[in-house]
Amino acid sequence: MTPFEQRPPGAGAADARVRIGARVEGTVQGVGFRPFVYRLAREFGLGGFVLNDDRGVLLEVEGDATRTEEFFAQLQAEAPPLAKIERITRTGRPLNGERTFAIRASERHAGRDSRADAPVTPDSATCEDCLRELADPRDRRFRYPFINCTNCGPRFTIVKGVPYDRTRTTMAAFTMCAACQAEYEDPGDRRFHAQPNACPECGPTLALVDPANAPQTKAATGDEALTTAAEALKHGAIVAVKGIGGYHLACRADDERAVARLRARKHREERPFALMAATLEQAEQLVHLTDAERELLRSTARPIVLARRRAQAPVAQSVAPDAPELGVMLPYSPLHHLLLADAAAGALVMTSGNRSDEPIAFRDADATARLEPIADLLLVHDRPIETRTDDSVVRAVRLADNHQATRQFIRRSRGYVPASLSLPGGAAKPLLACGAELKHTFCLARGERAWVSHHIGDLQNYETLTSFTTGVEHFERLFDVIPELIAHDLHPDYLSTCYAQDRQGVEHLAVQHHHAHLAACLAEHGFAPDTRAVGAIFDGTGYGTDGTVWGGEILVGGAQAFERVAWLRPVPMPGGERAIHEPWRMACAWLDAATDGDPDLPGRRAGQVAPDRWRQILNLARTGINSPATSSAGRLFDAVAALCGIRPQVGYEGQAAIELEAACDPAERGAYPIPQLDPREAIEAITADLDNGVAVATVAARFHNGLAEAVVEACTKAASRTQLVVLSGGVFQNRRLLEATAAGLGHQGLHVLTPTLLPAGDGGISYGQAAVAAAALGR
């Protein structure tokens, strides 16, 4: 018997009393974990207490030894739906005769050894219980657009600090009424310590602002604001809607005039708009859904899911011109549910509230200034948003025959952030990884935990740079990380690199772009820093160690080091970054590389590119002036798309490649030869087929198939001492290329890894930089 057990005279072992303390780490704050512990302890007749602190949840239970063991078994198995227990550390405690169980006030410790380590919960979609109350005329929260409980509602977007208590959220200014306070203090109520808890008597309120009137003049408030906005949507208005992580711009998805007007005012000429369907059944009318896609749509994260468009989908053509997929999500806030129901709309366009290339608006004054020229009305409320957070975007891909569908992130943000990722091997010092330039995220890491930020955007203007720097400051406060090492991209001119180098008093580490892609995928799958894998890293551009523009790389290595063993044949990028926006320039460079003499302007480009201009760019490529050499797979896709007559210029990054994939004949099995990753023979064959009248759909499919075969051949050759192959980089967000390449590698007996917790594109770069930096510290 231990010093912490007490057994009355004559009692058996089963009657022994014990007192056990436990530290519970993971996502256990703001998810109803303490009331769950309270109810469980009372059920088992145990005394003790539970409280929140900087590191998670601390509890002690005292009672019968057998019942105590049963308590801990249930604690792990029956945790609340939003809780994620990472670790339970138990220690013996002296008995003190405690017979009752209590929830104690949160504790915040001071000192270097007591750093905050309690994960902040991502925002969660409205739960079924709250939806029932929302629709019940007898309930006091009937039609209240801010209804929530411990199982749902805003979290990350309202939190200012930890422990997660109301005083450290943007709800601090709202004093609960007596009824809400009673719920908040009742451990048996599902709103016990629900920090955003509120009702129409004491909580946030809606207002409708008409920009045509005096600024900030409220046209209506409360439920009238909601019904008026819905009525306006019915008649073709554009309404800016303040949501969970920022503003959306909404209009009817089936109203061509409204969608075209939104596109013109937003200066977003071609990039597809996201849709919000009222129900899963309405979503099924827009897109073909697999079981995996339905599961993603219904998840508490409620991401935008990219799915195959139905031929007769009831949406305006301007929603997603020429796109084979639609991005669809389900309502995730009470306001969304009410708005779609009142507007009697099966689906609304629900796109980010910004002008093209700007961050999403989330501060009210800024939103009013920026969105008034776009929106006819603004549906706002008075609950502040602490952190701007875009909607996440995902799709489901199948990597092998009869294999379960795999989630692929295009953008990881609301609903997933700021959930932490493990960092294999751990970081010996706190560190910050500053990410890339496009689709930017940053990452903080301490010990074995890493926090990858929400989607920031493209760091190409002051607004997104400010969003990046303020985001870093917020995360450093929230997770109590003071970086001693800062990792950044090798490119000297990235704004993220400049920011890193401007921070003094810390170590700096430059990480090659494609190495970060490789390291990120290995780390998220839990592989140690010294693990070696073959990495096919295909993307648009990345600064290489030789000073050229990489983008079609076969690497061998891991977080500790890498070797570049093969790459796509380099060609010039005539005009540098201009070639990214004008794919016909890459067609010119590839034709020149593949043919003898002076290649003529392809017939499909006649009328789109002047012959004199074609010759100028041809000469530019040959001289090498402002024409850096690139091995970019993304630029190869651009060239083929231009040769096929699909896209001479692009309105957004990756557009040509997306439309080339969409053009593919799914039944075509032919493949163009790309021996040793040299596409010149394929370019010749493509040109010949197009000249002979072969359909673009056939040509596009043969190119995809040929590139997949070339990658399989190169990876198989490089895999002499490892069976692991990583497929990453933005080009592998191409579903056809990814699935064909993964299938071919599987047939060679190789084990394929793709990113599933982070985007394959540059949104995952910061985590890879952190993994490389942690490995360097470990050495």
Side-chain angles (χ1 to χ4, degrees), residues 10 39 50 116 118 135 171 204 226 245 325 351 360 413 453 490 507 522 529 543 576 578 614 653 706 714 739 751 767:
R39 291 191 294 269
V50 62
M171 286 295 294
L226 178 59
E325 295 179 315
T351 188
I360 185 172
S413 204
S453 76
L490 195 61
E507 299 176 54
L522 288 171
Y543 193 80
R578 286 286 297 276
W614 176 267
E653 196 257 341
E739 292 181 347
H751 182 61
Y767 177 64

Coordinates of all heavy atoms in Angstrom, one line a residue, residues 10 39 50 116 118 135 171 204 226 245 325 351 360 413 453 490 507 522 529 543 576 578 614 653 706 714 739 751 767:
G10 N -9.8 -4.2 8.3 CA -10.6 -5.3 7.8 C -11.1 -5.1 6.4 O -11.8 -5.9 5.8
R39 N -19.1 16.1 -14.0 CA -20.2 15.1 -14.1 C -19.7 13.7 -13.9 O -20.3 12.9 -13.2 CB -21.0 15.3 -15.4 CG -21.8 16.6 -15.5 CD -22.7 16.6 -16.7 NE -22.0 16.5 -17.9 CZ -21.6 17.6 -18.6 NH1 -21.9 18.8 -18.1 NH2 -21.0 17.5 -19.8
V50 N -11.3 20.3 -10.4 CA -10.7 20.4 -11.8 C -10.6 21.9 -12.0 O -11.5 22.7 -11.6 CB -11.6 19.7 -12.8 CG1 -13.0 20.3 -12.9 CG2 -11.0 19.8 -14.2
A116 N 2.6 29.2 -21.1 CA 1.3 28.8 -21.6 C 1.5 27.7 -22.6 O 2.3 27.7 -23.5 CB 0.6 29.9 -22.2
A118 N -1.6 25.6 -23.4 CA -2.9 25.1 -23.6 C -3.4 25.4 -25.0 O -3.6 26.6 -25.3 CB -3.9 25.7 -22.6
A135 N -34.5 27.2 -33.9 CA -35.7 27.0 -34.7 C -37.0 26.9 -33.8 O -38.1 26.7 -34.4 CB -35.6 25.8 -35.6
M171 N -15.8 38.8 -26.0 CA -17.1 38.8 -25.4 C -17.0 39.5 -24.0 O -18.0 39.6 -23.3 CB -17.6 37.4 -25.2 CG -18.1 36.8 -26.5 SD -19.6 37.7 -27.2 CE -20.8 37.3 -25.9
P204 N -24.5 40.1 -28.3 CA -24.3 40.9 -29.5 C -25.6 41.1 -30.3 O -26.6 40.2 -30.2 CB -23.3 40.1 -30.3 CG -22.6 39.3 -29.3 CD -23.6 38.9 -28.2
L226 N -31.9 41.3 -40.2 CA -31.7 40.0 -40.8 C -32.8 39.8 -41.9 O -32.4 39.4 -43.1 CB -31.8 38.9 -39.8 CG -31.7 37.4 -40.3 CD1 -30.4 37.2 -41.0 CD2 -31.9 36.4 -39.2
G245 N -14.9 34.8 -38.9 CA -13.5 35.3 -39.0 C -13.3 36.5 -39.9 O -12.2 36.9 -40.2
E325 N -15.0 22.1 -61.2 CA -15.4 21.9 -59.8 C -16.0 23.2 -59.3 O -15.8 24.3 -59.8 CB -14.1 21.6 -59.0 CG -13.4 20.3 -59.3 CD -12.2 20.0 -58.4 OE1 -11.4 21.0 -58.3 OE2 -12.1 18.9 -57.9
T351 N -18.3 34.8 -50.9 CA -16.9 35.0 -51.2 C -16.3 36.0 -50.2 O -16.9 36.7 -49.5 CB -16.7 35.5 -52.6 OG1 -15.3 35.5 -52.9 CG2 -17.3 36.9 -52.8
I360 N -8.9 39.7 -46.3 CA -10.4 39.8 -45.9 C -10.6 40.8 -44.9 O -9.8 41.0 -43.9 CB -10.9 38.4 -45.5 CG1 -12.4 38.4 -45.2 CG2 -10.1 37.9 -44.2 CD1 -12.9 37.0 -45.0
S413 N -7.3 27.1 -42.7 CA -7.6 28.3 -41.9 C -8.7 28.1 -41.0 O -8.6 27.2 -40.1 CB -7.8 29.5 -42.9 OG -7.5 30.7 -42.3
S453 N 0.0 29.1 -38.7 CA -1.0 30.2 -38.7 C -2.1 29.9 -39.7 O -2.1 29.0 -40.5 CB -0.3 31.5 -39.0 OG -0.1 31.6 -40.4
L490 N 15.1 31.0 -48.7 CA 16.4 31.3 -49.2 C 16.3 32.5 -50.1 O 17.3 33.2 -50.3 CB 16.9 30.1 -50.0 CG 18.4 30.1 -50.4 CD1 19.3 30.1 -49.2 CD2 18.6 28.8 -51.3
E507 N 19.1 34.1 -33.8 CA 19.7 33.4 -34.9 C 18.8 33.4 -36.1 O 17.6 33.4 -36.0 CB 20.1 31.9 -34.5 CG 21.0 31.8 -33.3 CD 21.2 30.4 -32.9 OE1 21.6 29.6 -33.7 OE2 20.9 30.0 -31.7
L522 N 7.2 15.0 -44.5 CA 7.8 14.0 -43.6 C 7.4 14.2 -42.2 O 7.1 13.3 -41.4 CB 9.3 13.9 -43.8 CG 9.8 13.3 -45.1 CD1 11.3 13.4 -45.3 CD2 9.4 11.8 -45.2
P529 N 13.7 13.5 -37.9 CA 14.5 14.4 -38.8 C 15.6 13.7 -39.7 O 15.9 14.2 -40.7 CB 15.2 15.3 -37.8 CG 14.3 15.3 -36.6 CD 13.8 13.9 -36.5
Y543 N 13.4 29.6 -55.1 CA 14.8 30.0 -55.3 C 15.7 28.9 -55.0 O 15.7 28.3 -53.9 CB 15.1 31.2 -54.4 CG 16.4 32.0 -54.6 CD1 16.5 32.9 -55.7 CD2 17.5 31.7 -53.9 CE1 17.7 33.6 -55.9 CE2 18.7 32.4 -54.1 CZ 18.8 33.3 -55.1 OH 19.9 34.0 -55.4
G576 N 11.0 37.2 -67.0 CA 10.9 36.9 -65.6 C 9.5 36.7 -65.2 O 8.8 35.8 -65.7
R578 N 6.8 38.2 -65.7 CA 5.8 38.5 -66.7 C 5.4 37.1 -67.3 O 4.2 37.0 -67.7 CB 6.4 39.4 -67.8 CG 6.5 40.8 -67.4 CD 5.2 41.5 -67.4 NE 4.5 41.6 -68.7 CZ 4.7 42.5 -69.6 NH1 5.6 43.4 -69.4 NH2 4.1 42.4 -70.8
W614 N 5.9 38.0 -80.7 CA 6.4 36.6 -80.5 C 7.9 36.6 -80.8 O 8.7 36.0 -80.0 CB 5.6 35.7 -81.5 CG 6.1 34.3 -81.5 CD1 7.0 33.8 -82.4 CD2 5.7 33.2 -80.7 NE1 7.2 32.4 -82.1 CE2 6.4 32.1 -81.1 CE3 4.8 33.1 -79.6 CZ2 6.2 30.8 -80.5 CZ3 4.6 31.9 -79.0 CH2 5.3 30.8 -79.4
E653 N -3.0 33.1 -60.2 CA -1.9 32.1 -60.2 C -2.5 30.7 -60.3 O -3.4 30.3 -59.6 CB -1.2 32.3 -58.8 CG 0.2 31.6 -58.9 CD 0.2 30.3 -58.1 OE1 -0.7 30.0 -57.3 OE2 1.1 29.5 -58.4
G706 N 1.9 11.5 -69.4 CA 3.3 11.4 -69.7 C 4.2 12.0 -68.6 O 5.2 11.4 -68.2
A714 N 11.6 8.7 -62.6 CA 12.7 9.4 -61.9 C 12.7 9.0 -60.4 O 13.8 8.8 -59.8 CB 12.5 10.9 -62.0
E739 N -3.0 11.6 -58.6 CA -3.6 10.2 -58.5 C -2.8 9.3 -59.5 O -2.5 8.1 -59.1 CB -5.1 10.3 -58.8 CG -5.8 11.0 -57.7 CD -7.4 11.0 -57.9 OE1 -7.8 10.7 -59.0 OE2 -8.1 11.3 -57.0
H751 N 6.2 3.5 -51.2 CA 5.2 4.0 -50.2 C 5.1 5.5 -50.5 O 6.1 6.3 -50.3 CB 5.6 3.7 -48.8 CG 4.6 4.2 -47.8 ND1 3.3 3.8 -47.7 CD2 4.7 5.1 -46.8 CE1 2.7 4.4 -46.7 NE2 3.5 5.2 -46.2
Y767 N 5.8 25.4 -41.9 CA 6.0 24.2 -41.1 C 7.3 23.4 -41.5 O 8.0 22.9 -40.6 CB 4.8 23.3 -41.2 CG 4.9 22.0 -40.4 CD1 5.0 22.0 -39.0 CD2 4.8 20.8 -41.0 CE1 5.0 20.8 -38.3 CE2 4.9 19.6 -40.3 CZ 5.0 19.6 -38.9 OH 5.0 18.4 -38.2

